[in-house]
Amino acid sequence: MSAPERQGSFWCEQGWVNGAVVAGVRLEIDAAGTVTGAETGIPARSGDCLLAGVTFPAASNAHSHAFHRVLRGRTHAAGPGSFWTWREHMYETAGALTPELYEQLATAVFTEMVVTGWTSVAEFHYVHHQPDGSAYAQEHAMERALARAAVAAGIRLTLLDTCYLAGGFDAPLSAAQLRFGDRDGAAWLQRLASLRAAFAAEFDPAQVSVGAALHSVRGVPEAELELISRMLPADLPLHIHLSEQPAENDACREATGLTPALLLAKHGLVTRRLSAVHATHLSEEDMTALGNAGATVVMCPSTEADLADGIGPAAELHAAGARIALGTDQHAVVDPWLEMRALEHGERLRSGERGRFAPADLHAAVSRAGAESQGRRAPGLAAGDTCDLMSVDPGTIRTAGSDPGQLALTATAADVHTVVVGGRILARHGRHTVLGDPAALLSAAVAALDASRRSPTPAATTEDP
């Protein structure tokens, strides 16, 4: 089935404009899927595509590991556990991936994102090579698989090609990490440049683009940070896992005398283009550095709860000048509304106060800040915005009676009835208009991965077609 046609205009029964819900919002859309005109308080015109309920800017997922979706509901064994025990399950899943299996799985995961309201995603990607660390016969086989998956689902992909060189401070990559690594920082930069050239030739940059990531300060030795700071192209967004665990902070201080954030600052990497993911365990000096730089901090509240990471100082970071964005990370939940709510609820639990983030702050975090962290134009209902929208039913069992401007505190993805990407309707009532039911796609993809693990011949050596 081909992609639906782009609409020339939309009329929203109610729409989120300048931080408030207003009635009768009419949008004009150009051939690139950008809003060229917006009017409010007017009736629909002949030919307008009608969006009932309340229409919001679509969500921009600022942190994803698509293959982690396999772990949902599978890592909660009896007895105590932590991020570090969960990580062993993650390595096992990573070891079973092939380009074919990853394309199938990522297509399903990206489809799940689209139908729930996420229309762009920063994919923090480090499964580059075969399990033994050797290259695939086709260059960038895994990366191409993810790009094809994004095109199939219709989501905007920023592939964050990740530098992952060490298993810890003064520790080599483990056997399970070999497929993540490059020889050194220079080799990663060379492969990154090759990937950018390949993707520019193959994919529409409005659909698929390339960014950069450092896995963590424990995964990239300090000597390589200095090189990367000098040589990384200035036009690329840069993401990093930062201070997710106290153990990471302790190890960094022992090895360098600095916290992870201050180590990055030492090498000129804490700038406006930086997105620090998690940032759960920060010092006052860390928060000041990130805030003064206007960096983005990507909170993943449902993942941070699922992994028992802790609750990060989101309000303090916001007050210091950092932008707060949201991501789904390991996909314990794929729901922008629950991530918004979890951000505010975490702040309430941590502070004993309500209203730490107003609804306008939550929508900015889940849409505009996430798009900016990817180097993308923000979605929205104003001229110049990308026409990526999600429309919500205000009369469901969850939303009935809500002030439309406070739906961020009551709605879930189940209340999203229409999702628009670049002026095209790609989801209605939880089904993708091209690929159908994401649950069926996910079930098939997980079953295929499970079958490959049982295969007597390791599927991980399969080449990309």
Side-chain angles (χ1 to χ4, degrees):
M1 186 184 299
S2 60
E5 292 185 2
R6 178 174 286 118
Q7 303 294 320
S9 59
F10 288 92
W11 183 81
C12 310
E13 184 179 7
Q14 299 181 79
W16 182 262
V17 178
N18 294 327
V21 174
V22 299
V25 182
R26 186 173 185 276
L27 307 176
E28 294 278 355
I29 316 302
D30 68 12
T34 302
V35 178
T36 57
E39 301 174 275
T40 62
I42 63 171
R45 298 179 189 171
S46 176
D48 288 348
C49 182
L50 306 183
L51 295 176
V54 187
T55 298
F56 294 87
S60 307
N61 193 339
H63 189 64
S64 164
H65 301 287
F67 77 90
H68 289 192
R69 175 60 179 80
V70 174
L71 302 175
R72 186 191 295 178
R74 291 181 164 207
T75 62
H76 305 278
S82 67
F83 166 85
W84 305 103
T85 55
W86 169 89
R87 191 174 69 157
E88 296 307 311
H89 296 284
M90 181 269 287
Y91 285 160
E92 181 184 359
T93 299
L97 294 172
T98 67
E100 296 88 348
L101 288 169
Y102 207 3
E103 182 173 351
Q104 181 183 6
L105 176 61
T107 299
V109 174
F110 293 156
T111 301
E112 180 182 12
M113 289 182 194
V114 168
V115 304
T116 58
W118 305 99
T119 60
S120 68
V121 58
E123 181 63 26
F124 199 107
H125 169 67
Y126 49 78
V127 188
H128 303 302
H129 312 298
Q130 297 194 74
D132 64 358
S134 61
Y136 282 98
Q138 184 192 35
E139 191 176 28
H140 311 304
M142 287 298 237
E143 292 75 22
R144 285 184 164 101
L146 286 167
R148 290 193 297 268
V151 171
I155 200 167
R156 303 178 192 276
L157 171 68
T158 302
L159 186 74
L160 299 172
D161 194 86
T162 301
C163 181
Y164 200 147
L165 305 175
F169 293 97
D170 298 319
L173 294 171
S174 68
Q177 296 168 326
L178 288 176
R179 71 183 315 184
F180 309 158
D182 291 288
R183 184 181 67 254
D184 52 27
W188 171 68
L189 288 164
Q190 183 177 20
R191 189 174 56 74
L192 176 65
S194 172
L195 177 65
R196 294 185 75 191
F199 272 27
E202 292 181 42
F203 301 104
D204 177 358
Q207 175 90 65
V208 176
S209 63
V210 175
L214 310 177
H215 179 268
S216 57
V217 294
R218 69 181 187 273
V220 182
E222 183 174 3
E224 306 292 354
L225 291 179
E226 191 277 331
L227 171 71
I228 290 166
S229 180
R230 284 190 292 107
M231 302 302 296
L232 187 68
D235 61 329
L236 288 181
L238 177 65
H239 291 225
I240 186 170
H241 296 125
L242 189 80
S243 293
E244 183 176 4
Q245 293 289 321
E248 175 188 330
N249 290 351
D250 293 343
C252 189
R253 287 191 186 96
E254 182 177 349
T256 70
L258 298 168
T259 65
L262 296 183
L263 177 62
L264 295 180
K266 173 184 174 182
H267 293 285
L269 291 166
V270 178
T271 66
R272 189 169 177 82
R273 74 163 166 178
L274 181 71
S275 290
V277 181
H278 302 304
T280 308
H281 304 280
L282 299 179
S283 69
E284 291 289 338
E285 197 173 359
D286 294 337
M287 288 188 277
T288 298
L290 292 165
N292 286 346
T296 298
V297 172
V298 183
M299 300 288 191
C300 306
S302 63
T303 286
E304 287 146 11
D306 185 73
L307 297 182
D309 287 343
I311 300 172
E316 288 90 336
L317 283 160
H318 188 246
R323 295 170 291 176
I324 305 299
L326 292 169
T328 60
D329 193 0
Q330 56 116 351
H331 317 305
V333 174
V334 176
D335 185 328
W337 299 86
L338 291 183
E339 297 295 349
M340 283 191 280
R341 191 134 70 250
L343 178 64
E344 168 62 13
H345 285 177
E347 278 297 310
R348 293 181 184 186
L349 289 168
R350 195 172 63 87
S351 69
E353 297 178 355
R354 303 178 80 234
R356 302 275 283 181
F357 285 96
D361 297 324
L362 298 175
H363 283 288
V366 86
S367 60
R368 185 168 296 273
E372 290 174 350
S373 79
Q374 299 177 52
R376 293 191 176 277
R377 187 195 304 266
L381 289 77
D385 289 343
T386 297
C387 187
D388 285 13
L389 312 170
M390 53 180 172
S391 298
V392 174
D393 183 347
T396 72
I397 195 171
R398 290 163 294 277
T399 61
S402 297
D403 178 332
Q406 297 186 38
L407 284 168
L409 282 306
T410 61
T412 73
D415 304 311
V416 175
H417 63 73
T418 304
V419 179
V420 176
V421 185
R424 294 186 172 95
I425 295 175
L426 280 191
R428 286 195 183 276
H429 303 290
R431 291 183 64 88
H432 196 278
T433 54
V434 178
L435 299 179
D437 181 8
L441 299 177
L442 288 161
S443 295
V446 173
L449 193 62
D450 286 346
S452 77
R453 290 168 170 169
R454 296 190 296 267
S455 172
T457 302
T461 60
T462 305
E463 298 296 342
D464 190 59

